[in-house]
Amino acid sequence: WVQEEAPDVLCLQETKCAVSAVPAEVRALPGLPHQFWSSAKDRPGYSGVGLLAKTEPLNVTYGIGDPEHDVDGRVVTAEFPSLFVVSAYVPNAGRGLVRLEPRQRFDAAFLQFLQRLDAQKPVLLCGDLNVAHQEIDLCHPRANRASPGFTPQEREGFSRLLAAGFVDSFRHLYPEARGAFTFWTYLGGARARNVGWRLDYAVVSRRLLGALCDCKIRSAALGSDHCPITALLAV
């Protein structure tokens, strides 16, 4: 699928993989020779992100400058001439919302990080942001008001991101699209019935909207409980 798609930049989340254990077939992906990986420190099989690029970035950084969260390997950022590309895996609030407070701290620190980037040049944030922002973004909103990913606190965190000058590119282009999900639990045939959530986003700095051509949810691409999304920008 990646070879057919031939992206300029490929962002991966929840890789659960140390740098040394990245599969050979991923290392050898044609057209993506510049690869940058971040994994959780001393926690094999947890979290992790990757960013693979066709052309070499000007600079690459890891984390958001917050010791509480940077040990989990959740963010890698590549600077290109016209923009920053951020691959991010936002923490899950956890069953019973046991990690909701750390999640809220991450959201606040991450927003500050993105604002610092945005002060330098525009930002494209790609990743599993672990939030369904509006009721239209999940199949059963009423039944999930206290579920991780749809609490008022998490939704407000995403609203603050948008209020700070960033745009949910898919919802900007398709404000009324229903059934547009990127995650389905493996249980109960949820994917076949499209009982899902939209947790994966391409968020852009507002001043990139003129360059935004499309944002597509690639639900036919299998292999995970999430599906890929594609952001198309003329930059």
Side-chain angles (χ1 to χ4, degrees), residues 14 128 130 182-184 191 199-200 221-228:
E14 200 175 4
D128 178 357
N130 259 319
T182 67
F183 165 81
W184 306 263
R191 187 160 187 167
L199 302 179
D200 303 88
L222 304 177
S224 168
D225 52 358
H226 292 252
C227 76

Side-chain angles (χ1 to χ4, degrees), residues 161-205:
L161 174 65
L162 301 184
F166 298 92
V167 178
D168 172 358
S169 62
F170 179 84
R171 196 52 75 194
H172 173 78
L173 294 167
Y174 305 101
E176 305 298 330
R178 295 186 174 274
F181 306 135
T182 67
F183 165 81
W184 306 263
T185 176
Y186 284 124
L187 303 175
R191 187 160 187 167
R193 296 182 293 121
N194 200 30
V195 178
W197 298 56
R198 190 169 71 96
L199 302 179
D200 303 88
Y201 295 79
V203 173
V204 297
S205 297

Side-chain angles (χ1 to χ4, degrees), residues 114-206:
L114 293 171
Q115 288 176 304
R116 292 195 298 270
L117 293 179
D118 190 53
Q120 301 172 58
K121 62 177 66 172
V123 175
L124 167 61
L125 163 63
C126 302
D128 178 357
L129 304 190
N130 259 319
V131 62
H133 183 224
Q134 301 171 330
E135 291 193 356
I136 197 174
D137 294 318
L138 72 165
C139 191
H140 296 305
R142 288 188 181 181
N144 284 288
R145 297 199 187 282
S147 297
F150 198 59
T151 63
Q153 297 93 325
E154 292 164 300
R155 296 169 68 193
E156 288 164 10
F158 193 83
S159 294
R160 283 191 290 272
L161 174 65
L162 301 184
F166 298 92
V167 178
D168 172 358
S169 62
F170 179 84
R171 196 52 75 194
H172 173 78
L173 294 167
Y174 305 101
E176 305 298 330
R178 295 186 174 274
F181 306 135
T182 67
F183 165 81
W184 306 263
T185 176
Y186 284 124
L187 303 175
R191 187 160 187 167
R193 296 182 293 121
N194 200 30
V195 178
W197 298 56
R198 190 169 71 96
L199 302 179
D200 303 88
Y201 295 79
V203 173
V204 297
S205 297
R206 182 165 293 279

Side-chain angles (χ1 to χ4, degrees), residues 7 11 22 24 51 67 79 83 91 96 102 128 131 136 177 184 197 202 218 220 230 235:
C11 296
V22 173
L51 188 150
E79 179 184 358
L83 79 170
D128 178 357
V131 62
I136 197 174
W184 306 263
W197 298 56
R218 314 305 294 276
T230 303
V235 292

Side-chain angles (χ1 to χ4, degrees), residues 18-136:
V19 176
S20 60
V22 173
E25 62 268 28
V26 176
R27 289 283 192 194
L29 274 171
L32 295 168
H34 306 285
Q35 302 190 7
F36 309 93
W37 304 92
S38 184
S39 58
K41 185 178 180 182
D42 302 324
R43 296 187 71 178
Y46 180 75
S47 190
V49 291
L51 188 150
L52 293 72
K54 183 179 293 186
T55 61
E56 187 174 7
L58 302 174
N59 187 43
V60 175
T61 60
Y62 300 87
I64 60 175
D66 186 311
E68 178 184 3
H69 303 289
D70 286 352
V71 295
D72 287 343
R74 294 190 175 276
V75 178
V76 59
T77 301
E79 179 184 358
F80 295 96
S82 56
L83 79 170
F84 289 102
V85 179
V86 182
S87 177
Y89 175 45
V90 170
N92 189 299
R95 184 173 297 178
L97 305 179
V98 294
R99 296 194 299 273
L100 180 58
E101 288 188 10
R103 160 62 185 267
Q104 290 178 269
R105 292 195 296 271
F106 178 92
D107 283 350
F110 191 36
L111 175 54
Q112 291 181 351
F113 170 76
L114 293 171
Q115 288 176 304
R116 292 195 298 270
L117 293 179
D118 190 53
Q120 301 172 58
K121 62 177 66 172
V123 175
L124 167 61
L125 163 63
C126 302
D128 178 357
L129 304 190
N130 259 319
V131 62
H133 183 224
Q134 301 171 330
E135 291 193 356
I136 197 174

